[in-house]
Amino acid sequence: MLTLEQLRKKSEQRLSGLHPVFKQVMEKLIERCYARGVWVLITQGLRTYAEQDTLYAQGRTKPGKVVTKARGGYSNHNFGFAADFALLLRDGRTVSWDTLKDDDKDSLPDWSEVVEEAKKLGLEWGGDWRSFKDMPHLQMVFGLTTAQFRAGIRPTQAQLDTVLAKINKTGDEEMTVEEKAAFKELQSTVQKQDDRIKTLETAAKQPKVPAWAEQACINAKAAGVLDTANDGSYDFYRMVTLLDRTGIFNAKGDK
């Protein structure tokens, strides 16, 4: 079981070079997904123009599968506002791009949980693109185009401050990620205990009034103490029988 800090370190190198605010958003994504039992690994971050051109050549002038439509200078990776992710499985070593895998066993694909948290943070997901779906891709471009980025235009301080305020808001974020994970586990334990108690309570009920308690229940109903004697437990019938033996039900019936 990896700690959050160990998981962070696995993405540390690829987060380096991203715009500081976008880097914080990605770190927050790792934290939030960890709290949900999903381990996110950042696989790509900042790329130089040359690295982008090499990637663009793949599947065109070089062997391999086409993985990008962008030449150098035409990808948001080149400006530090995009990152790619994958899932890290529970062995702490295996990296997966399986969008249907549910490693935390909560009936929701882990990939979908990452995308859900990403969108809450204001990130754009490449899986929503129509022309070229890029399932591992996340970005935050503040409405800017790559042409504007190439021209040196960057998000305003007000835009950056808005993002920082959003990811650092208080409320349900007051607990640490570790505390939230522990709380989630506690909720699961409490639910299991509650289900167990209900099972025991059901098992404790008698399908019918025991023969040895029938007359006592009749006397209790006649005295107006009971409306029904059905579905009682052994202890319930024993208590009614003991009270009947004291004559309390006959006493009430004689009044």
Side-chain angles (χ1 to χ4, degrees):
M1 181 70 178
L2 292 179
T3 65
L4 175 59
E5 188 57 34
Q6 289 172 325
L7 184 61
R8 282 186 182 131
K9 286 186 178 298
K10 287 182 176 293
S11 295
E12 194 172 51
Q13 185 175 354
R14 292 180 180 84
L15 287 171
S16 177
L18 295 178
H19 184 279
V21 172
F22 180 67
K23 179 174 180 285
Q24 287 186 55
V25 174
M26 296 306 297
E27 289 172 339
K28 183 64 70 173
L29 176 66
I30 293 172
E31 291 179 9
R32 289 191 177 186
C33 291
Y34 182 85
R36 293 181 65 159
V38 179
W39 296 356
V40 175
L41 184 70
I42 305 305
T43 58
Q44 286 281 304
L46 178 69
R47 295 190 200 121
T48 64
Y49 282 21
E51 289 170 335
Q52 188 68 39
D53 284 334
T54 298
L55 197 62
Y56 180 80
Q58 183 176 315
R60 295 182 174 87
T61 60
K62 293 183 178 181
K65 180 182 176 181
V66 173
V67 293
T68 182
K69 294 181 67 176
R71 293 185 173 88
Y74 289 81
S75 168
N76 290 310
H77 279 282
N78 305 149
F79 308 102
F81 285 93
D84 294 341
F85 74 93
L87 304 175
L88 186 65
L89 303 189
R90 283 298 183 273
D91 61 11
R93 298 183 300 275
T94 305
V95 180
S96 170
W97 283 266
D98 186 348
T99 59
L100 300 178
K101 191 169 186 63
D102 178 24
D103 206 32
D104 61 338
K105 312 300 182 189
D106 64 355
S107 76
L108 184 65
D110 296 346
W111 200 274
S112 298
E113 293 190 70
V114 177
V115 172
E116 185 178 282
E117 289 300 328
K119 290 183 177 182
K120 287 179 184 178
L121 291 168
L123 289 160
E124 179 186 349
W125 178 45
D128 288 330
W129 297 345
R130 292 184 179 181
S131 61
F132 184 81
K133 289 189 179 297
D134 193 353
M135 303 297 280
H137 183 91
L138 296 169
Q139 64 180 35
M140 182 174 281
V141 297
F142 301 89
L144 297 174
T145 65
T146 53
Q148 289 174 310
F149 277 126
R150 289 195 302 275
I153 300 173
R154 296 294 182 269
T156 65
Q157 190 58 51
Q159 288 176 310
L160 297 174
D161 289 343
T162 298
V163 170
L164 289 174
K166 184 175 184 178
I167 67 173
N168 294 318
K169 68 179 180 180
T170 56
D172 64 337
E173 297 299 317
E174 290 179 354
M175 288 192 292
T176 66
V177 174
E178 288 82 358
E179 288 171 337
K180 289 170 74 175
F183 181 68
K184 183 178 179 181
E185 180 65 26
L186 178 61
Q187 285 180 313
S188 176
T189 300
V190 170
Q191 184 60 53
K192 289 177 182 177
Q193 290 177 336
D194 184 54
D195 292 342
R196 176 62 176 162
I197 290 171
K198 288 178 180 178
T199 299
L200 291 173
E201 287 177 343
T202 300
K205 290 181 179 180
Q206 301 286 326
K208 62 180 182 178
V209 179
W212 50 265
E214 285 181 355
Q215 189 58 54
C217 289
I218 292 171
N219 294 341
K221 290 174 69 175
V225 176
L226 289 181
D227 291 326
T228 178
N230 297 328
D231 296 324
S233 66
Y234 173 86
D235 288 338
F236 168 76
Y237 293 123
R238 183 171 180 274
M239 177 188 69
V240 173
T241 300
L242 290 174
L243 290 174
D244 183 54
R245 288 174 181 173
T246 66
I248 190 172
F249 300 143
N250 288 333
K252 289 187 176 183
D254 292 339
K255 289 182 180 179

